Amino acid sequence: MIRTLVMLGFWAAMLPVAALIGFPWTLLTGDVSMLYRMTMWGAWNGVRLAGIQVRTVGLDKIDPARTYVFMSNHVSNVDPPILMPLIPRRMSIMVKKELFRVPVLARLMRFGSLVPVDRGNRESGIAAVRAAAEVIRQGINMAVYVEGHRSFDGKLLPFKKGPFYLAEECGMPVVPVTIVGSNYVMPKKRFAIKPGVVTVIFHAPIDPKDFGSRDCLMAKVRKAIDSGLPAELQELTPLIKTDPEVHEDSASA
């Protein structure tokens, strides 16, 4: 419990700094880069203060000059502040449309090119995919949790189709990402954080020319993400025959 409070307390302490410096600068200039850097720095250091060590695998497969759609599994509330600072350059995500009803926050999120989405409305979902594709075409990476919800046991849930419509719509490479260990340090429905190591595996990007059909792309992404999970959490029946290799590079943090 204390570790969680330390992390949340650090983030709360960062808010006045953002309010006094980052928010006004962004609103006056329309440039979100300073606020973005402050947010990523705060997210990363809050996680570290909570006793979570982060290890990366395969980050050297990512070309910082290119734009990607990162598709990750999701098992814990600490996944976003762990994954997002690791993604090279600026990135965007889809957020609940209700947050865009808060005036100042909505303006800042629009500056940051965040995409509102109503998960319960199909037409809104289609519009969100198109809006996200436009953001990606501006050279901003997009991160998506392809299951839509957090997994209770660490095994992969069924994938949502929206991220794969997005990949086809924008025609950018897809990077499957496996997060391992965050369900140990902070499981679903638990507030307390335990110290531990979280490994983030970046698999080889899938080029648009290798997508195949939408179902084929989904199978490739699922197989890649699943291959990075511990053996006891992997699916028994392979969805595609070829197992992608995971090459470890250097540990981060």
Side-chain angles (χ1 to χ4, degrees), residues 145-204:
Y145 293 110
V146 285
E147 299 158 287
H149 305 280
R150 284 171 290 153
S151 170
F152 271 106
D153 57 9
K155 296 181 180 179
L156 290 180
L157 299 173
F159 283 2
K160 299 294 183 181
K161 294 182 179 179
F164 300 95
Y165 283 103
L166 173 61
E168 289 185 336
E169 178 76 15
C170 67
M172 296 293 179
V174 171
V175 178
V177 180
T178 309
I179 301 176
V180 182
S182 59
N183 59 320
Y184 168 79
V185 299
M186 191 179 192
K188 189 173 181 178
K189 291 194 173 181
R190 197 185 76 184
F191 185 71
I193 292 176
K194 294 191 295 185
V197 178
V198 175
T199 301
V200 182
I201 303 170
F202 293 87
H203 300 275

Side-chain angles (χ1 to χ4, degrees), residues 234-249:
Q234 291 183 15
E235 296 175 330
L236 297 178
T237 304
L239 295 181
I240 55 177
K241 294 182 179 180
T242 303
D243 290 324
E245 296 181 358
V246 175
H247 300 285
E248 182 175 337
D249 46 44

Side-chain angles (χ1 to χ4, degrees), residues 2 4 10 27 37 54 67 73 194 217-218 222 243 248 252-253:
I2 293 177
T4 308
F10 176 76
L27 293 173
R37 289 194 297 271
V54 181
T67 303
N73 65 320
K194 294 191 295 185
L217 175 60
M218 185 182 296
R222 189 176 188 91
D243 290 324
E248 182 175 337
S252 171

